């Protein structure tokens, strides 16, 4: 199958492991111009764009091609399109923090901005900002800081964080291979 060969096999996922990955996945289609991830959405799923292309936007401006198709990608590195994954970094961060015991159930820390001269605490409440704007603080769920729209019709595989966590905890080999697959764009 093309999905296995293009996105999983180059990173060491075996056919038997891919069967388990595929069983946990939900496959759906989006039409050109539809939204996959909206800025501010909770990132509790990981997406793999297996067909089609997407674009990332922030404040209405196009950042880059979040994923591409065979005609627009040019020279492709082994292991699939570098931008084919979406939401993977939030999952990997949450998974790593959970493994390291660093996720807390507390509210996000507040960072105070220096008060302008002559202002009271009540006047500067709006200057208190979350220390990490992308983290809700509750349950360690990340929030999207950009929007991903489809640039053409797309076929997408998705997994909940819980399903991916279960897969990764089932085997150290699978965990290593999936981490390589999801982070290949970062390490090139």
């Amino acid at each position: 199958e093309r999905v296995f060969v293009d996105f999983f096999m180059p990173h060491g996922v075996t056919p038997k492991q891919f069967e388990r990955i595929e069983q946990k996945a939900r496959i759906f289609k989006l039409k050109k111009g539809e939204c996959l991830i909206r800025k501010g959405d909770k990132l509790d799923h990981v997406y793999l764009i297996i067909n089609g292309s997407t674009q990332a936007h922030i404040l209405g401006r196009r950042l880059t091609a979040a994923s591409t198709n065979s005609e627009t990608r040019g020279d492709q590195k082994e292991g699939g399109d570098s931008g084919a994954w979406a939401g993977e970094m939030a999952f990997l961060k949450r998974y790593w923090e959970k493994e390291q015991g660093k996720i807390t159930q507390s509210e996000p820390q507040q960072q105070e901005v220096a008060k302008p001269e002559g202002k009271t605490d009540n006047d500067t409440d709006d200057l208190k900002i979350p220390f990490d704007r992308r983290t809700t603080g509750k349950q360690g769920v990340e929030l999207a800081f950009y929007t991903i729209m489809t640039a053409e019709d797309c076929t997408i595989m998705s997994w909940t964080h819980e399903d991916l966590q279960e897969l990764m905890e089932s085997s150290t080999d699978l965990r290593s291979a999936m981490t390589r697959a999801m982070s290949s764009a970062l390490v090139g």
Side-chain angles (χ1 to χ4, degrees):
E1 178 170 285
R2 184 190 68 79
V3 173
F4 170 67
V5 171
D6 286 353
F7 299 105
F8 294 94
M9 188 176 73
H11 304 290
V13 175
T14 67
K16 190 166 188 80
Q17 289 170 330
F18 179 69
E19 285 178 19
R20 292 178 35 224
I21 293 166
E22 197 173 35
Q23 287 172 354
K24 293 279 186 185
R26 179 179 143 245
I27 298 176
F28 63 97
K29 295 180 183 283
L30 290 178
K31 298 275 187 205
K32 179 180 178 176
E34 290 188 301
C35 184
L36 175 62
I37 297 173
R38 187 171 314 282
K39 181 181 180 217
D41 283 352
K42 286 183 182 179
L43 293 175
D44 54 4
H45 283 75
V46 174
Y47 304 96
L48 175 60
I49 294 85
I50 58 176
N51 190 28
S53 61
T54 60
Q55 295 177 338
H57 299 265
I58 189 164
L59 300 174
R61 297 194 59 181
R62 180 175 172 235
L63 295 177
T64 184
S67 70
T68 58
N69 63 33
S70 58
E71 291 82 38
T72 61
R73 78 173 53 124
D75 292 333
Q76 179 182 354
K77 295 182 178 167
E78 185 175 305
D81 188 349
S82 64
W85 292 89
E88 79 285 6
M89 296 313 300
F91 168 75
L92 290 171
K93 178 181 183 279
R94 179 177 171 211
Y95 183 76
W96 183 84
E97 288 174 344
K98 181 179 180 294
E99 289 294 304
Q100 299 301 314
K102 293 185 178 178
I103 290 183
T104 64
Q105 298 299 317
S106 64
E107 289 298 318
Q109 297 175 356
Q110 297 288 314
Q111 177 182 7
E112 291 202 30
V113 177
K115 290 182 216 170
E117 199 170 310
K119 297 288 182 175
T120 66
D121 282 341
N122 291 339
D123 295 332
T124 59
D125 281 343
D126 60 332
L127 297 177
K128 294 179 181 179
I129 56 173
F131 185 73
D132 180 356
R133 293 173 187 235
R134 295 174 299 139
T135 305
T136 65
K138 293 181 180 180
Q139 303 168 359
V141 176
E142 297 282 316
L143 300 179
F145 56 93
Y146 50 81
T147 296
I148 296 182
M149 304 289 293
T150 55
E152 61 184 333
D153 292 354
C154 291
T155 305
I156 300 162
M157 294 178 85
S158 74
W159 300 266
T160 65
H161 282 196
E162 291 75 20
D163 284 342
L164 270 183
Q165 181 175 325
E166 183 181 317
L167 285 166
M168 291 181 71
E169 289 174 350
S170 69
S171 157
T172 55
D173 289 339
L174 180 56
R175 179 176 61 231
S176 296
M178 286 296 293
T179 300
R180 283 191 301 271
M182 287 187 276
S183 62
S184 65
L186 300 176
V187 295

